[in-house]
Amino acid sequence: MPEDGFPLNQLAMSMILSASVVRVRDGLPLSASTDCEQSTGVQECRKYFKALSRKLAQLPDRCTLKTGQYNINFISSLGVSYMMLCTENYPSVLAFCFLDELQKEFITTYDMLRTNTAIRPYCFIEFDNVIQRTKQRYNNTRSLSTKINLADMQMEIKLRPPYQISLSEFGSANGFAHLSAVEFKGTGKIPAACCNPLSGRGYSVTSGSQRWEQSVVTKIPNLCDVAPHQRLEPLTLPGIVSFILSLLCGALNLIRGFHAIESLLQNEGEDFSYVIAFFLGTAACLYQCYLFVHYTGWRNVKSFLSFGLICLCNMYLYELRNLWQLFFHVTVGAFSTLQIRLRQPQGKSPDYNV
């Protein structure tokens, strides 16, 4: 028996099958090992890998999902999640040591800026070499007892055990058709279909005093009609320029508006409508900035209406501005409207069947 306490015959019968690195905020796969095992059970587990990837931001940072013959373990840190598939009898302490080692290797190899700005799936596929090398070492029973120290991980898991996500039923083949609601003590009820697609008809997560309990088993096609937050496409240089120019136009309108108020207080004959026009122009410019960085319903229509308001305000203020000033404000408004139109929500990442 090795000094870490795991019988050699148990380790010989268990193994790590695959691993992947996924970005937490949107489930974008950054790297993955090449799966050699193509059994029906492993193919089924890939569904749960993908479902988990889409909901990592709503799950604890250390979890275990038991699917029968196989377990899925993952940890999340600094916006990146490290996931692995192993046989059911593979020791959990070794599994989380494996994930912890992958995490350290990935953090030392890639900086956060690269992972946060990555667009293409599997753009760090070269990290597969590290995954394969580490996986082979953890599947080698002779090297484990001398090359890793499990004491720290055993203590950490004892003090803070991973959340055990258990599936009560499998969903439909095309993607978890049944919906349920779960209750998390202290936070109220959450629609499970919106928060976690793993529930075929419900699931529970138990760890210490915290527990997610299945509360509703029903089929409600339109439970999640409210659209989730949409992430927009990455910023481009023209988009950043339009954002800065819109802020500048808003600031200029605001300054002129305060000057118009001062002039109004000093001269009773001044027209108060000029003050309103300046402040409406400020609001329209700032709202265009908001539309550029946030996704909302009818976003394009709102941007055109804001641009129309900018044009009307500048038409009204033509006596107070020269031709070049009017041209600058209208051109910036049109440019910002175009950039809002071009920056669309991100589409679904393609499935590379890894």
Side-chain angles (χ1 to χ4, degrees):
M1 175 182 294
E3 60 185 18
D4 53 31
F6 296 107
L8 284 175
N9 59 350
Q10 177 185 349
L11 292 175
M13 297 171 58
S14 59
M15 64 183 301
I16 299 172
L17 300 175
S18 64
S20 63
V21 182
V22 180
R23 190 164 61 193
V24 171
R25 74 169 188 257
D26 54 6
L28 180 74
L30 302 176
S31 185
S33 61
T34 304
D35 298 342
C36 298
E37 178 70 33
Q38 299 294 333
S39 65
T40 304
V42 172
Q43 294 294 330
E44 187 71 18
C45 286
R46 283 181 174 174
K47 297 180 183 179
Y48 298 110
F49 251 83
K50 295 173 183 176
L52 280 167
S53 298
R54 291 192 293 268
K55 298 300 175 183
L56 287 170
Q58 294 149 359
L59 292 171
D61 61 353
R62 179 186 293 156
C63 289
T64 296
L65 171 65
K66 297 182 178 180
T67 63
Q69 295 181 334
Y70 307 99
N71 293 344
I72 297 175
N73 303 291
F74 67 88
I75 61 173
S76 300
S77 176
L78 299 176
V80 179
S81 185
Y82 309 87
M83 311 176 70
M84 56 94 75
L85 174 67
C86 62
T87 53
E88 61 177 336
N89 56 350
Y90 194 83
S92 62
V93 173
L94 291 181
F96 285 104
C97 280
F98 168 77
L99 293 174
D100 189 61
E101 189 165 332
L102 285 187
Q103 173 186 331
K104 292 176 181 177
E105 290 285 346
F106 191 84
I107 290 174
T108 55
T109 306
Y110 306 102
D111 56 55
M112 290 185 61
L113 179 61
R114 290 188 62 187
T115 58
N116 289 334
T117 57
I119 301 176
R120 295 184 298 103
Y122 305 105
C123 57
F124 305 127
I125 193 62
E126 67 276 4
F127 190 72
D128 172 49
N129 297 327
V130 177
I131 297 177
Q132 295 291 357
R133 184 172 64 249
T134 310
K135 184 176 74 170
Q136 290 173 5
R137 187 160 62 83
Y138 274 79
N139 284 337
N140 186 349
T141 58
R142 295 181 179 179
S143 63
L144 284 176
S145 61
T146 58
K147 292 190 177 180
I148 60 174
N149 181 10
L150 301 179
D152 293 340
M153 183 59 68
Q154 285 175 330
M155 180 60 66
E156 186 176 349
I157 289 181
K158 183 178 180 180
L159 296 176
R160 194 171 65 91
Y163 281 75
Q164 301 292 325
I165 305 175
S166 60
L167 296 175
S168 59
E169 281 187 32
F170 292 107
S172 64
N174 60 356
F176 312 101
H178 301 284
L179 306 178
S180 63
V182 294
E183 181 178 340
F184 185 71
K185 290 186 176 179
T187 59
K189 294 184 178 180
I190 305 171
C194 296
C195 297
N196 196 332
L198 293 175
S199 50
R201 291 182 182 175
Y203 71 89
S204 64
V205 181
T206 305
S207 178
S209 62
Q210 294 175 317
R211 178 174 178 139
W212 291 14
E213 296 179 343
Q214 174 184 343
S215 61
V216 178
V217 179
T218 182
K219 192 172 182 179
I220 311 176
N222 297 320
L223 180 64
C224 298
D225 283 344
V226 180
H229 174 67
Q230 292 280 339
R231 300 198 67 86
L232 296 171
E233 292 177 349
L235 292 173
T236 60
L237 181 59
I240 296 174
V241 171
S242 71
F243 182 83
I244 295 174
L245 290 177
S246 292
L247 286 179
L248 177 62
C249 288
L252 292 174
N253 284 324
L254 186 63
I255 293 171
R256 292 293 301 272
F258 282 119
H259 288 170
I261 292 177
E262 291 179 2
S263 178
L264 182 64
L265 294 176
Q266 295 173 0
N267 303 313
E268 295 182 356
E270 293 290 333
D271 191 352
F272 183 74
S273 59
Y274 289 142
V275 176
I276 297 177
F278 279 122
F279 284 120
L280 283 178
T282 300
C285 292
L286 296 181
Y287 192 60
Q288 282 203 323
C289 294
Y290 173 81
L291 292 175
F292 179 73
V293 297
H294 289 283
Y295 178 82
T296 63
W298 300 88
R299 182 164 165 266
N300 292 330
V301 175
K302 292 176 182 177
S303 67
F304 279 113
L305 291 176
S306 299
F307 175 62
L309 181 59
I310 291 173
C311 293
L312 290 175
C313 291
N314 281 278
M315 287 175 61
Y316 190 79
L317 297 170
Y318 74 96
E319 294 181 351
L320 304 180
R321 283 177 170 162
N322 59 41
L323 184 61
W324 288 109
Q325 290 174 329
L326 294 174
F327 177 77
F328 174 74
H329 281 269
V330 173
T331 302
V332 170
F335 185 49
S336 298
T337 303
L338 175 63
Q339 292 303 314
I340 294 171
R341 176 69 181 86
L342 294 178
R343 194 180 183 212
Q344 294 299 315
Q346 288 182 344
K348 180 181 176 182
S349 299
D351 184 4
Y352 283 79
N353 196 29
V354 175

